[in-house]
Amino acid sequence: MSVETLSVESRPASKVGAARVGIGGPVGSGKTRLLEQLIPRFIERGTKLAVITNDLTTHEDAERLQQSGLIDPEQVRAVETGACPHTAIREDPTLNIQTADELESLYPGLDLVLIESGGDNLASTFSLDLVDYWLFVIDVAGGDDIPRKQGPGVLHCDLLVVNKFDLAPYVGVDLERMRRESLQARGDRPVLFTNCATGQGVDDVVEAIGQAVLFDQS
Amino acid sequence: MLILDRILGQASEPELAERLHQIGHVGGLELLQVSGDDVQRRRLRLTSDAGTDCAIRLARTQRLSDGAILLLDTERAIMVRTDQPQYLMVRAVDAAGALELGYFAGNMHWSVRFDTDVLAIQIKGEVQDYLDRLTPMIESGKVQVESPCVP
């Protein structure tokens, strides 16, 4: 019997997989450190997760997480892009989609796959074929003019994370102005400030992801 | 929050169209407006025109589209409405301008399609953001914006 002849109620449902969340941003902004803060928090709240990291020619970020003791090393996979990693999260995300599919197949109860990738400075964005929601991580030491430069990553991400806010006094950054200009650039879409060295502000990132794609009750 | 985790069918299907018609008569048809930017997503949270907090959670094999039915019972249905993609139509005045425009659009990673000698740039976000980026080429006369925004 073809689908067309089935009543609506008897049509087969497709299996809904894990939420997929991208974490992008310039090299050195603290994406891997953010992952190291997110992983224990999600595990603590009962979220079953896996992680994919994208690197140019190494598995360095994945190995760092695998050796961290925070997560089963088997649930961390590296995608070695061979070129600037942003190409594998935007133009052709096949490698990452395949890796996420493989993780979901191996670990059927997964709730969340975090996909981290750097590269392309402020222009990196994620394909929505790959992820359901994505963060862009910048840091205050990169300069408080980053939001004003209006890179696609800053403009189009679902959540902008400004990391290393504790360094503001040492690098001459006016945090309030940075917050104001971030919101102006993004049309009031969310911006959160974190210090991933200590974990300050990371609970709010977990909450934002939970509300947006894990559908936690308010 | 109402979890919607499958696409039951399309409003254009005869069986569904008749049922939606009947539900509409009793005021049970809710519309869920999904922006052109969001239509690719498998998970998102939106409020219907009747105020229902909807959490869409689809399989990777399913994709939202205009007319997709996400809920259907005897007295109530929820149907997706999507915006048509909008394009900025830009024409280069000569071959040199076309080269520069093509290079620039590629460097910006804009989604484009070619309409004979016009470059159609898909608008994601604000059209003014695109016009701002093109200002030097527009002011120097290398390109002309044919139409601010067309379906």
Side-chain angles (χ1 to χ4, degrees):
Chain A
M1 183 181 286
S2 69
V3 168
E4 285 71 27
T5 61
L6 289 172
S7 69
V8 169
E9 287 77 6
S10 56
R11 291 177 187 176
S14 301
K15 182 179 176 297
V16 175
R20 295 179 184 180
V21 172
I23 301 176
V27 172
S29 60
K31 299 179 296 301
T32 308
R33 195 73 186 98
L34 175 61
L35 277 172
E36 290 170 337
Q37 293 286 357
L38 290 175
I39 289 168
R41 284 169 171 79
F42 277 117
I43 290 173
E44 169 77 20
R45 72 200 290 283
T47 304
K48 297 180 181 66
L49 80 159
V51 179
I52 299 170
T53 66
N54 285 257
D55 268 320
L56 186 61
T57 56
T58 70
H59 293 181
E60 195 164 317
D61 286 346
E63 287 165 0
R64 174 171 153 185
L65 292 173
Q66 286 164 337
Q67 293 163 11
S68 69
L70 297 170
I71 185 172
D72 178 351
E74 291 297 313
Q75 288 175 233
V76 179
R77 297 293 165 90
V79 168
E80 187 177 318
T81 59
C84 194
H86 74 267
T87 56
I89 59 169
R90 181 177 51 210
E91 280 83 0
D92 182 1
T94 309
L95 278 174
N96 277 292
I97 290 172
Q98 285 177 340
T99 306
D101 288 347
E102 187 182 324
L103 282 164
E104 287 196 46
S105 173
L106 288 169
Y107 304 100
L110 280 182
D111 301 306
L112 175 64
V113 179
L114 296 173
I115 302 170
E116 179 267 344
S117 176
D120 211 10
N121 202 0
L122 302 180
S124 180
T125 60
F126 278 84
S127 163
L128 293 176
D129 278 330
L130 173 63
V131 298
D132 304 300
Y133 182 87
W134 60 283
L135 289 58
F136 195 75
V137 183
I138 59 175
D139 73 280
V140 299
D144 59 5
D145 56 347
I146 290 180
R148 289 200 302 276
K149 291 183 176 177
Q150 305 205 347
V154 171
L155 290 181
H156 300 307
C157 66
D158 295 302
L159 173 62
L160 179 66
V161 176
V162 183
N163 191 27
K164 307 182 190 178
F165 73 76
D166 55 307
L167 298 183
Y170 308 107
V171 292
V173 163
D174 180 342
L175 271 186
E176 275 315 304
R177 190 174 80 175
M178 200 170 180
R179 186 190 308 275
R180 193 170 58 247
E181 290 178 349
S182 297
L183 290 170
Q184 281 171 356
R186 291 173 46 72
D188 291 333
R189 284 183 300 146
V191 180
L192 292 174
F193 283 69
T194 58
N195 172 0
C196 289
T198 63
Q200 284 175 279
V202 178
D203 287 345
D204 292 336
V205 178
V206 172
E207 175 74 10
I209 294 171
Q211 290 287 326
V213 292
L214 300 175
F215 304 139
D216 296 347
Q217 297 288 353
S218 301
Chain B
M1 178 175 54
L2 178 65
I3 299 279
L4 302 167
D5 57 9
R6 59 188 294 209
I7 295 173
L8 296 163
Q10 287 295 129
S12 55
E13 297 174 43
E15 178 201 343
L16 290 182
E18 175 57 28
R19 289 177 63 175
L20 291 172
H21 181 71
Q22 291 167 0
I23 291 168
H25 270 301
V26 295
L29 178 60
E30 295 183 37
L31 300 179
L32 205 52
Q33 190 71 37
V34 180
S35 74
D37 292 342
D38 284 339
V39 76
Q40 290 181 74
R41 296 181 195 264
R42 270 52 173 223
R43 288 188 184 227
L44 71 161
R45 201 159 169 177
L46 293 169
T47 303
S48 77
D49 64 345
T52 306
D53 177 15
C54 297
I56 300 174
R57 186 177 64 187
L58 298 178
R60 296 279 152 202
T61 52
Q62 294 203 304
R63 179 172 281 232
L64 294 172
S65 60
D66 193 56
I69 306 300
L70 303 179
L71 178 84
L72 186 67
D73 60 30
T74 53
E75 296 178 342
R76 186 185 184 201
I78 295 181
M79 179 170 73
V80 169
R81 280 289 181 223
T82 65
D83 302 329
Q84 291 298 311
Q86 302 286 300
Y87 290 88
L88 188 66
M89 311 298 279
V90 184
R91 183 191 301 277
V93 297
D94 55 22
L99 282 171
E100 187 171 338
L101 176 62
Y103 169 81
F104 187 75
N107 198 35
M108 293 300 297
H109 303 283
W110 287 339
S111 298
V112 300
R113 67 184 191 196
F114 302 101
D115 185 1
T116 60
D117 58 345
V118 173
L119 190 71
I121 302 167
Q122 189 176 349
I123 304 297
K124 297 176 180 175
E126 297 298 321
V127 67
Q128 191 59 46
D129 291 342
Y130 292 81
L131 292 170
D132 288 346
R133 301 282 181 167
L134 290 166
T135 294
M137 271 188 277
I138 295 169
E139 289 184 345
S140 65
K142 293 175 181 173
V143 302
Q144 296 167 342
V145 175
E146 294 267 303
S147 163
C149 208
V150 299

